[in-house]
Amino acid sequence: MTFVVTIDGPSGAGKSSVAKALAKTLGIRWLDTGALYRAVAYTLDKRGIARTDGKGTADAMAALSVRIDSEGVFVDGEDVTKAIRTPHVDRIVSAWAALGAVRNGLLSVQRSQARYGSLVAEGRDMGSVVFPDAAVRFFLTASPEARAMRRYKELLERGESLDYEDVLSRMRDRDRADSSRDLAPLTEPEGAIRVDTSSMGQQEVVDELVRIVRSETAGCSS
Ligand code: DC
């Protein structure tokens, strides 16, 4: 039997790198659902659709073909993998992710991924909404300062010149937007395993998660 592992948590808790490394160690696929929300936000924004235009957004979502695989993220055949990792998309994505038409449109894209085998699904509502029956559900978190510092270093490595305080304040804004929206807000799923990564190295977190998943899924195939 195949299985799903979910990892939810706020931006900068280390979800992506941990989810990716966990999937690799277990020999199963990694699903970055933030990339799907970014791809939709990037595309609808570029097409000039107003977020307040409910019908325009719903029509666009119904016609949109979003695909994610090991090669990247594609919208209507266009490779948007790099274009979705900019400060502009960072700023607009939460607002698009709060829309019902966007969330509903992406639900089937996400669930269909579990048909191809076992999966580490990473996002904000994986354990609560998308895969509530997952074999193991994690909630990864860290202090806002630790998360902002990680994001700051990531951006510096990419050549973006930003102020740490700005990164921290944007992180807080995004946390607020993601946690206070009406639809599928970022919450700790009931019964999830909470891991605070503030003072843990990435490998330490991965090792801990691998240990837990192996013990919980003994007997399952990938
Ligand atoms: O993980 P990330 O920073 O790439 O996520 C981008 C945005 O998408 C973020 O504002 C939260 C939102 N998101 C969401 O609402 N639900 C998910 N399952 C994944 C991401």
Side-chain angles (χ1 to χ4, degrees):
M1 214 175 68
T2 60
F3 61 88
V4 175
V5 174
T6 62
I7 304 187
D8 291 305
S11 333
K15 288 188 313 281
S16 289
S17 23
V18 166
K20 202 170 171 179
L22 175 64
K24 192 166 176 217
T25 310
L26 297 171
I28 64 179
R29 279 169 322 113
W30 165 51
L31 174 63
D32 171 8
T33 62
L36 296 173
Y37 283 94
R38 287 171 178 271
V40 166
Y42 166 79
T43 304
L44 300 189
D45 176 66
K46 199 172 78 167
R47 292 186 185 173
I49 295 169
R51 258 190 302 108
T52 44
D53 176 3
K55 182 170 176 344
T57 305
D59 289 350
M61 282 309 293
L64 221 56
S65 152
V66 187
R67 181 165 65 82
I68 188 163
D69 58 27
S70 56
E71 307 285 307
V73 195
F74 303 82
V75 180
D76 290 343
E78 182 195 345
D79 184 350
V80 298
T81 316
K82 286 215 177 79
I84 62 173
R85 306 283 167 195
T86 62
H88 174 65
V89 177
D90 276 357
R91 266 191 301 275
I92 63 168
V93 62
S94 289
W96 285 102
L99 302 179
V102 170
R103 304 206 72 83
N104 287 336
L106 287 178
L107 201 53
S108 57
V109 177
Q110 297 170 86
R111 287 192 177 144
S112 69
Q113 294 288 321
R115 290 194 207 119
Y116 310 119
S118 294
L119 198 64
V120 176
E122 171 224 327
R124 302 292 190 289
D125 60 344
M126 295 299 100
S128 52
V129 176
V130 183
F131 299 112
D133 298 327
V136 191
R137 296 176 304 148
F138 290 107
F139 189 78
L140 235 61
T141 189
S143 68
E145 291 76 14
R147 294 188 286 114
M149 185 48 77
R150 283 182 196 144
R151 183 55 57 101
Y152 172 68
K153 286 185 179 158
E154 225 175 79
L155 292 168
L156 276 190
E157 270 167 32
R158 266 195 270 142
E160 316 261 355
S161 58
L162 280 158
D163 198 53
Y164 165 76
E165 291 301 326
D166 286 346
V167 179
L168 178 59
S169 116
R170 249 201 276 154
M171 179 83 68
R172 289 201 158 114
D173 288 347
R174 201 128 64 92
D175 281 356
R176 234 185 328 267
D178 291 340
S179 311
S180 61
R181 67 181 179 217
D182 292 337
L183 289 168
L186 168 68
T187 48
E188 191 164 344
E190 207 175 314
I193 301 167
R194 171 183 242 262
V195 181
D196 187 326
T197 69
S198 301
S199 55
M200 286 172 91
Q202 187 190 309
Q203 194 54 47
E204 210 181 328
V205 180
V206 175
D207 291 346
E208 173 73 357
L209 268 51
V210 167
R211 188 187 62 71
I212 297 172
V213 173
R214 287 207 168 124
S215 91
E216 296 287 320
T217 62
C220 293
S221 68
S222 54

